[in-house]
């Protein structure tokens, strides 16, 4: 493009055609600069003005895009369009740049080949943020704005200068300096929980770290030992602590790799039954393995798979566990091989666990019911109740104290020899409770260790009615006694709950009962040996009284 300065109005001396007033000076920014001309973006108004390089007052080699300039406005005599003349470069006032501390919000991707490429001529951008007067502001940045070719990551602490684009007014961050890399998140497993704090076994090193419950972000009631968590390590009072503790899906943290292959070896050192005070090794056991180069593998008390106690020289099969943190190998899932007992000539006994002083080893669980302490005869004996058995029962429905059970006595004949044998109320079959003189059938049970014999499976064959038995119904129930109304409805008989044969809580008003009469202190008549009959509650019906049948009608109360 050619330009003739003589084509300016008034020979380019001022911006007004008539030249009647002084020319006004404006400011702007060099927007485009070619060999002989360029364009200026006006600062005070929305205008873009052409200028010829001959109108620049200064060294043209120092002029560049973005420089601030001052100029006058004239018009091209040929086209009439406004143009800029008498350009002077404005020297910017050098002010100390304010550096601001902030944080990377979204880092520029390092591997751009796998990401969506930026548009041609544009650099990929990231974002940073900073806080000012309680408000958070966000700025963009490009890789060129980072000093020292530092690779920024999201969360990194940075320091930067705020820059404003003179063309667009956009604000961005430049001269970014990395202050501190973001603390990496660690993983681990909760290994202990106390009243207000706990400990986490770290997944990166063989070490435990303290955490306070206030640092757990979640439902603390649901947190328990064995849970996988992630956390951030911070230094407090010179000690590392876990902060911002959050729950992870179960199985996320893996400490060790267990071999698929099984190995065989021999136990050379067993775990002490009582650890000594000086013992600090968590894996005190040793198993010798005949590899190409023989080696010993340690193991702990949680590495045995079977319930058999390991002894020295035992032949065992196991897997090898390798800790990911320190590459320590140990034997785990240890099982005793069957041929071990052939080498040791051990014998086994069957028994149940009990608090005995003798120490049982190589314990093997048997099906329930395999071990029995009693033997029961197949033969059934017949005898007569000499003393009634009483079950354990509460002295009153409102009191929790129980009266101890008492054994009964059965008299029977065995091969012409008169014998007696005890029995308990719980061993009586059926709902009827045998009374003195009643005929019963039973089996004999003998304790293997002591030889003590008792009658079991006691079944009543016949009731002894030599003593006078009466029928009535329950008329009143008090704290620990009640009253029975006679079958003739002519009087009420006192009875104490201790005389009731059965569960007193099941006795209700109106129940039909059978009883005998006795005299106590002061010749007062009371009911004893009270039994609930199958007649249930009293309704018009038929009762058996002293061997005869009587029709009884309820008395209307």
């Amino acid at each position: 493009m050619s330009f003739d300065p003589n084509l300016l109005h008034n020979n380019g001396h001022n911006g007004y055609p008539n030249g009647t007033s002084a020319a006004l000076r404006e400011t702007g920014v060099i927007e485009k600069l070619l060999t002989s001309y360029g364009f200026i973006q006006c600062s005070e108004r929305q205008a873009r003005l052409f200028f010829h390089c001959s109108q620049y007052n200064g060294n043209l080699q120092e002029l560049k895009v973005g420089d601030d300039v001052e100029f006058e406005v004239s018009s091209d005599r040929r086209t009439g369009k406004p143009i800029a003349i008498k350009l002077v470069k404005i020297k910017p006032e050098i002010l100390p740049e304010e550096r601001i501390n902030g944080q990377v919000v979204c880092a520029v991707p390092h591997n751009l080949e796998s990401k969506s490429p930026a548009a041609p001529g544009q650099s990929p951008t990231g974002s940073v943020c900073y806080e000012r007067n309680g408000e958070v502001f966000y700025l963009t940045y490009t890789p060129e704005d980072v000093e020292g070719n530092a690779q920024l990551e999201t969360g990194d602490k940075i320091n930067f200068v705020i820059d404003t684009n003179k063309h667009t007014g956009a604000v961005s961050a430049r001269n970014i300096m990395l202050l501190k890399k973001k603390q990496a998140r660690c993983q681990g497993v909760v290994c202990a929980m106390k009243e207000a704090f706990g400990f986490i076994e770290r997944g990166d090193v063989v070490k435990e770290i303290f955490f306070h419950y206030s640092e757990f972000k979640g439902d603390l009631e649901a947190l328990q030992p064995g849970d996988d968590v992630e956390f951030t390590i911070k230094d407090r009072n010179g000690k590392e602590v876990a902060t911002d503790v959050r729950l992870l899906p179960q199985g996320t943290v893996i400490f060790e790799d267990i071999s698929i292959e099984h190995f065989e070896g021999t136990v050379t050192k067993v775990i002490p039954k009582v650890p000594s005070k000086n013992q600090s090794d968590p894996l005190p056991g040793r198993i010798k393995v005949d590899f190409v180069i023989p080696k010993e593998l340690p193991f702990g008390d949680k590495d045995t798979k079977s319930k058999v106690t390991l002894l020295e020289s035992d032949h065992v099969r196991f897997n090898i566990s390798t800790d990911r943190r320190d590459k320590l190998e140990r034997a785990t899932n240890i099982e005793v091989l069957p041929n071990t007992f052939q080498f040791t000539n051990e014998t086994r006994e069957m028994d149940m666990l009990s608090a005995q002083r003798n120490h049982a080893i190589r314990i093997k669980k048997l099906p329930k019911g395999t071990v029995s302490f009693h033997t029961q005869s197949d033969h059934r004996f017949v005898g007569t109740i000499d003393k009634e058995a009483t079950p354990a029962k509460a002295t009153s429905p409102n009191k929790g104290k129980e009266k101890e059970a008492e054994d009964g006595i059965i008299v029977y004949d065995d091969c012409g020899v008169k014998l007696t044998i005890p029995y308990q109320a719980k061993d009586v079959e059926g709902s009827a409770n045998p009374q003195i003189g009643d005929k019963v059938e039973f089996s004999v049970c003998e304790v293997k260790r002591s030889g003590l014999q008792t009658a079991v499976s006691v079944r009543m064959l016949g009731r002894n009615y030599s003593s006078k038995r009466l029928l009535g119904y329950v008329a009143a129930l008090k704290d620990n006694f009640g009253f029975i109304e006679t079958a003739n409805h002519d009087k009420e008989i006192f009875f104490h709950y201790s005389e009731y044969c059965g569960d007193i809580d099941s006795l209700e008003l109106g129940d039909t009962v059978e009883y005998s009469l006795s005299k106590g202190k002061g010749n007062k008549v009371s009911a004893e040996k009270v039994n609930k009959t199958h007649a249930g509650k009293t309704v018009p019906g038929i009762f058996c009284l002293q061997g005869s049948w009587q029709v009884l009608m309820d008395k209307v109360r």
Side-chain angles (χ1 to χ4, degrees):
M1 175 181 290
S2 63
F3 176 76
D4 184 2
N6 294 323
L7 295 178
L8 294 174
H9 289 298
N10 296 327
N11 294 324
H13 293 294
N14 59 56
Y16 295 88
N18 298 328
T20 58
S21 62
L24 295 177
R25 303 285 290 178
E26 291 188 28
T27 59
V29 178
I30 301 296
E31 182 187 58
K32 187 175 182 180
L33 184 62
L34 299 177
T35 305
S36 59
Y37 67 94
F39 289 90
I40 299 173
Q41 178 69 47
C42 297
S43 299
E44 288 84 4
R45 57 193 174 98
Q46 291 290 334
R48 186 171 182 262
L49 301 178
F50 169 88
F51 74 94
H52 193 272
C53 291
S54 62
Q55 292 294 314
Y56 176 66
N57 184 13
N59 185 357
L60 192 61
Q61 299 299 322
E62 296 178 355
L63 188 65
K64 60 181 183 297
V65 174
D67 284 348
D68 293 328
V69 293
E70 186 182 53
F71 56 91
E72 293 180 9
V73 178
S74 183
S75 61
D76 189 331
R77 185 175 297 176
R78 185 171 53 190
T79 63
K81 295 181 179 180
I83 60 175
I85 61 173
K86 299 181 181 180
L87 279 68
V88 177
K89 185 176 179 180
I90 301 174
K91 293 183 178 180
E93 182 181 0
I94 301 176
L95 297 175
E97 294 180 329
E98 180 188 5
R99 297 198 66 84
I100 299 174
N101 292 332
Q103 179 175 313
V104 179
V105 176
C106 180
V108 176
H110 302 319
N111 184 10
L112 298 179
E113 296 179 358
S114 61
K115 308 289 182 181
S116 300
Q122 294 183 358
S123 296
T125 60
S127 61
V128 300
C129 71
Y130 68 98
E131 183 181 354
R132 181 67 60 85
N133 298 327
E135 292 187 67
V136 178
F137 299 90
Y138 294 86
L139 302 174
T140 59
Y141 78 96
T142 64
E144 291 77 16
D145 295 319
V146 182
E147 296 184 356
N149 295 322
Q151 297 286 346
L152 298 183
E153 303 284 352
T154 300
D156 288 349
K157 302 296 182 182
I158 55 172
N159 183 280
F160 57 90
V161 174
I162 297 178
D163 179 63
T164 303
N165 189 303
K166 296 177 181 179
H167 302 287
T168 63
V171 182
S172 62
R174 65 180 177 86
N175 298 343
I176 301 173
M177 297 177 60
L178 177 63
L179 298 180
K180 184 179 180 181
K181 296 293 289 183
K182 178 189 175 183
Q183 181 72 47
R185 296 282 285 173
C186 299
Q187 295 182 345
V189 175
V190 178
C191 58
M193 295 184 67
K194 306 298 182 181
E195 185 175 351
F197 60 90
F199 291 91
I200 300 171
E201 185 176 357
R202 292 173 57 175
D204 54 341
V205 294
V206 184
K207 188 178 181 181
E208 293 181 2
I209 188 168
F210 168 92
F211 77 99
H212 194 272
Y213 289 162
S214 61
E215 291 292 344
F216 179 69
K217 311 302 180 184
D219 182 9
L220 187 60
E221 298 295 331
L223 186 67
Q224 56 186 354
D227 283 345
D228 293 353
V229 292
E230 67 171 359
F231 54 92
T232 300
I233 299 176
K234 289 189 177 180
D235 186 88
R236 290 181 180 171
N237 299 325
K239 294 183 179 180
E240 288 186 337
V241 298
T243 62
D244 190 20
V245 182
R246 299 177 185 270
L247 205 60
L248 291 175
Q250 200 69 16
T252 302
V253 182
I254 301 176
F255 291 116
E256 57 190 8
D257 297 309
I258 299 178
S259 67
I260 300 175
E261 182 183 358
H262 283 84
F263 301 88
E264 293 186 5
T266 305
V267 177
T268 57
K269 182 180 179 182
V270 298
I271 300 174
K273 298 173 185 176
V274 181
S276 63
K277 294 181 180 180
N278 298 327
Q279 179 181 325
S280 59
D281 188 358
L283 305 172
R286 295 290 184 272
I287 294 176
K288 182 180 179 182
V289 192
D290 292 328
F291 290 140
V292 177
I293 301 177
K295 64 184 298 186
E296 281 191 336
L297 294 174
F299 68 91
D301 55 357
K302 295 182 180 179
D303 290 317
T304 54
K305 187 176 180 180
S306 65
K307 303 299 181 182
V308 175
T309 304
L310 295 180
L311 299 178
E312 290 186 6
S313 302
D314 279 349
H315 290 230
V316 293
R317 180 174 60 183
F318 56 90
N319 300 103
I320 294 179
S321 170
T322 305
D323 196 307
R324 291 184 175 184
R325 299 166 293 181
D326 58 3
K327 306 305 178 183
L328 174 67
E329 291 184 337
R330 78 175 198 278
T332 189
N333 298 331
I334 304 169
E335 294 181 289
V336 176
L337 294 174
N339 61 4
T340 287
F341 302 106
Q342 299 174 5
F343 289 104
T344 57
N345 296 321
E346 295 176 54
T347 58
R348 286 185 174 270
E349 296 184 1
M350 290 195 305
D351 205 343
M352 294 182 68
L353 293 176
S354 60
Q356 294 183 352
R357 292 184 179 180
N358 294 333
H359 179 66
I361 62 172
R362 302 191 186 278
I363 299 172
K364 181 179 179 181
K365 186 177 180 181
L366 297 175
K368 190 173 182 179
T370 303
V371 179
S372 175
F373 293 110
H374 307 83
T375 57
Q376 184 171 325
S377 65
D378 295 329
H379 179 70
R380 299 286 287 175
F381 296 88
V382 176
T384 304
I385 299 297
D386 188 58
K387 177 185 176 184
E388 296 179 22
T390 58
K393 57 185 178 180
T395 55
S396 73
N398 299 326
K399 297 180 179 179
K401 294 182 179 180
E402 287 192 352
K403 185 178 180 181
E404 293 184 358
E406 293 185 8
D407 291 350
I409 301 294
I410 299 175
V411 179
Y412 69 105
D413 184 85
D414 185 15
C415 299
V417 180
K418 188 175 182 180
L419 302 173
T420 60
I421 190 171
Y423 77 97
Q424 296 180 345
K426 65 181 182 64
D427 293 319
V428 177
E429 297 179 353
S431 59
N433 295 309
Q435 299 174 357
I436 296 177
D438 289 346
K439 193 174 183 180
V440 293
E441 182 186 45
F442 59 92
S443 298
V444 175
C445 177
E446 182 176 326
V447 179
K448 291 180 179 179
R449 290 180 289 187
S450 63
L452 178 66
Q453 291 184 338
T454 57
V456 296
S457 302
V458 180
R459 184 183 304 133
M460 193 167 67
L461 298 178
R463 179 73 77 184
N464 176 29
Y465 291 106
S466 58
S467 60
K468 191 174 183 180
R469 300 290 288 171
L470 303 173
L471 289 178
Y473 65 91
V474 178
L477 291 171
K478 304 297 182 181
D479 285 342
N480 54 10
F481 63 91
F483 290 92
I484 301 173
E485 188 165 347
T486 62
N488 295 327
H489 306 291
D490 54 356
K491 61 180 178 180
E492 293 181 348
I493 307 296
F494 169 89
F495 76 99
H496 194 273
Y497 287 161
S498 61
E499 292 293 337
Y500 179 70
C501 301
D503 184 8
I504 193 66
D505 292 331
S506 65
L507 192 63
E508 299 178 354
L509 293 176
D511 284 347
T512 305
V513 294
E514 183 184 44
Y515 63 95
S516 299
L517 293 177
S518 67
K519 290 184 178 182
K521 295 180 180 180
N523 287 328
K524 291 184 178 180
V525 177
S526 62
E528 65 176 5
K529 301 177 184 177
V530 180
N531 285 319
K532 186 176 179 179
T533 67
H534 296 292
K537 295 184 180 299
T538 301
V539 294
I542 302 177
F543 297 88
C544 179
L545 182 61
Q546 300 182 30
S548 62
W549 296 94
Q550 296 183 0
V551 178
L552 302 176
M553 301 296 292
D554 280 345
K555 179 171 68 175
V556 178
R557 291 180 174 272

